[in-house]
Amino acid sequence: MAVGLLGYFIGEIPLINMKYYNVGIRACSICPGEASTPLLDQRPVPLSQEEKDLMLQVEDISETVVFVAQMEKHVCVNQITISPTHNRLYL
């Protein structure tokens, strides 16, 4: 079962894994880059659909969550950083 842990710092994830590994609890910090979500529509300067299409999509992040949740019990993924290949922060 996957449960979200909101409010934890990335540095605490390995501590959670060390403390609770013996009861089958694993934690992973998934750090997405710029993603096309409805929140973007609230920006003062709207983005074009072409710009949104270059960003991560909700499905990309969802597939990552499923990937982590379905790992074998002997595998622990502490952190994943996922970003679009067209990264506006680098351009």
Side-chain angles (χ1 to χ4, degrees):
M1 175 193 303
V3 178
L5 297 172
L6 298 176
Y8 281 86
F9 294 107
I10 292 172
E12 293 180 64
I13 298 300
L15 298 175
I16 293 168
N17 288 326
M18 286 187 283
K19 185 172 182 178
Y20 296 107
Y21 77 93
N22 59 336
V23 292
I25 294 175
R26 298 173 293 172
C28 177
S29 173
I30 299 177
C31 307
E34 198 168 39
S36 180
T37 67
L39 187 61
L40 288 178
D41 297 331
Q42 297 179 17
R43 286 187 175 179
V45 178
L47 298 174
S48 69
Q49 187 59 47
E50 292 79 23
E51 289 174 300
K52 292 179 186 179
D53 290 343
L54 295 172
M55 296 177 179
L56 292 175
Q57 303 301 307
V58 172
E59 295 80 12
D60 301 323
I61 300 165
S62 300
E63 289 173 9
T64 304
V65 171
V66 170
F67 167 76
V68 170
Q70 291 180 339
M71 296 302 287
E72 296 292 329
K73 292 183 181 193
H74 67 275
V75 177
C76 181
V77 179
N78 289 289
Q79 180 178 348
I80 293 178
T81 301
I82 180 172
S83 53
T85 52
H86 179 85
N87 195 330
R88 292 181 340 135
L89 296 175
Y90 299 155
L91 301 176

